[in-house]
Amino acid sequence: MREYKIAAIPADGIGPEVIEAGQAVLEALQARMGDIAFRFEKFDWGSDYFKRHGVMMPADGMERLKGFDAIYFGAVGAPDVPDHITLWGLRLPICQGFDQYANVRPTRIMPGITSPLRNAGPGDLDWVIVRENSEGEYSGHGGRAHRGMPEEVGTEVAIFTRTGVTRIMRYAFKLAQARPRKLLTVVTKSNAQRHGMVMWDEIAAEVAQEFPDVTWDKMLVDAMTVRMTLKPQSLDTIVATNLHADILSDLAGALAGSLGVAPTANIDPERRFPSMFEPIHGSAFDITGKGIANPVATFWTGAQMLEHLGEPAAADRLMRAVEQVCEAGILTPDVGGTATTKDVTDAVIGAIRGSNV
């Protein structure tokens, strides 16, 4: 029996709803597989914790998480707490503190879900976006001076290091090499950003020499939005900076039908620390408590977690169950259905328990 310790941080909004669903599905998978076990420990950190204690997580939070095999994260953000406090108080300290420098966001059109792209269906959009997750535009460097004065200034410094860029490029090329098409697109903006982004391009070309079997091309981020929309079949693996990939992956999720089906893995490829797995969709306070949050992204990121833990058979069984449920039309309102979170969760659990997945 292989046992994994999972830190569950449901956090804000619909986070608790989808993490509860994800945990139920993983426990059903545990019973079906018979040779794996999950030991969940829940942490009540987030915006409610902030309102009680003035911090998003306790001072020893990172130390408490170190002993886990993975982190299952819900969502962060609340309408009555400034966004920079919620993000920099919980999610980003975990990503940066555990050097989870590869943010991996697969996107594809699931069976039964209609893409807003005309005539696009399963197989026409099948991408993995690799986001540099430790520096770039979200490095957190900069400052404010002369607050409230006419000459007030705010600076936000994007930091690109040779180490940071090289390792994310190498990760992306390796991922592209492992996929059937062996195709990578490097997103840039080096025509206007003539320092960090030019270095980004140069390092991409250097790393490409290590992977002669990978076909790669380069595209400006603004043109990339056009290509994603009009020529989705021309893309496969994509690597971009922290900011660019953040934006493009939301577009990718929308093109696949909904952010409710888009997962994220925050990976420490060297496995020095636990990696963190979360849905893209955010806290979605407009539907919190209504029981209609789409749990598919949380299930999919659970499959990413299983792959990272070295359980590909379990990950595959989970994804086949999710696809079977989507194809059967058991869908939440964000993707055109009438099902509740519980309906979808129960259906996926039923599919896992069945003999045909």
Side-chain angles (χ1 to χ4, degrees), residues 335-356:
V335 284
T338 58
T340 64
T341 308
K342 185 177 187 303
D343 292 336
V344 176
T345 304
D346 290 348
V348 171
I349 289 172
I352 288 171
R353 289 174 176 166
S355 59
N356 58 339

Side-chain angles (χ1 to χ4, degrees), residues 214-267:
V214 174
T215 301
W216 74 287
D217 61 4
K218 186 173 68 174
M219 178 137 293
L220 296 175
V221 64
D222 42 340
M224 188 65 173
T225 62
V226 178
R227 183 173 171 186
M228 289 169 69
T229 307
L230 299 183
K231 297 181 180 179
Q233 301 92 339
S234 73
L235 296 163
D236 187 80
T237 310
I238 299 160
V239 63
T241 71
N242 217 329
L243 172 63
H244 294 164
D246 190 11
I247 296 167
L248 293 177
S249 58
D250 273 20
L251 173 59
L255 294 177
S258 169
L259 291 186
V261 300
T264 304
N266 301 285
I267 303 289

Side-chain angles (χ1 to χ4, degrees), residues 196-320:
M197 289 267 73
V198 170
M199 186 178 81
W200 170 274
D201 292 354
E202 291 171 355
I203 294 174
E206 292 170 11
V207 174
Q209 296 177 27
E210 302 172 21
F211 300 89
D213 57 334
V214 174
T215 301
W216 74 287
D217 61 4
K218 186 173 68 174
M219 178 137 293
L220 296 175
V221 64
D222 42 340
M224 188 65 173
T225 62
V226 178
R227 183 173 171 186
M228 289 169 69
T229 307
L230 299 183
K231 297 181 180 179
Q233 301 92 339
S234 73
L235 296 163
D236 187 80
T237 310
I238 299 160
V239 63
T241 71
N242 217 329
L243 172 63
H244 294 164
D246 190 11
I247 296 167
L248 293 177
S249 58
D250 273 20
L251 173 59
L255 294 177
S258 169
L259 291 186
V261 300
T264 304
N266 301 285
I267 303 289
D268 165 28
E270 282 70 50
R271 299 175 182 271
R272 299 155 296 172
F273 307 105
S275 294
M276 182 166 65
F277 303 84
E278 60 177 322
I280 284 179
H281 53 57
S283 51
F285 267 83
D286 56 325
I287 60 168
T288 298
K290 295 182 179 179
I292 57 171
N294 193 336
V296 166
T298 307
F299 300 158
W300 193 346
T301 199
Q304 288 185 285
M305 180 166 67
L306 290 167
E307 290 172 356
H308 181 73
L309 293 173
E311 299 291 347
D316 183 61
R317 188 181 295 275
L318 173 52
M319 286 309 297
R320 281 187 281 126

Side-chain angles (χ1 to χ4, degrees), residues 187-198:
V187 178
T188 186
K189 192 58 183 168
S190 51
N191 60 339
Q193 295 176 287
R194 60 197 176 106
H195 302 299
M197 289 267 73
V198 170

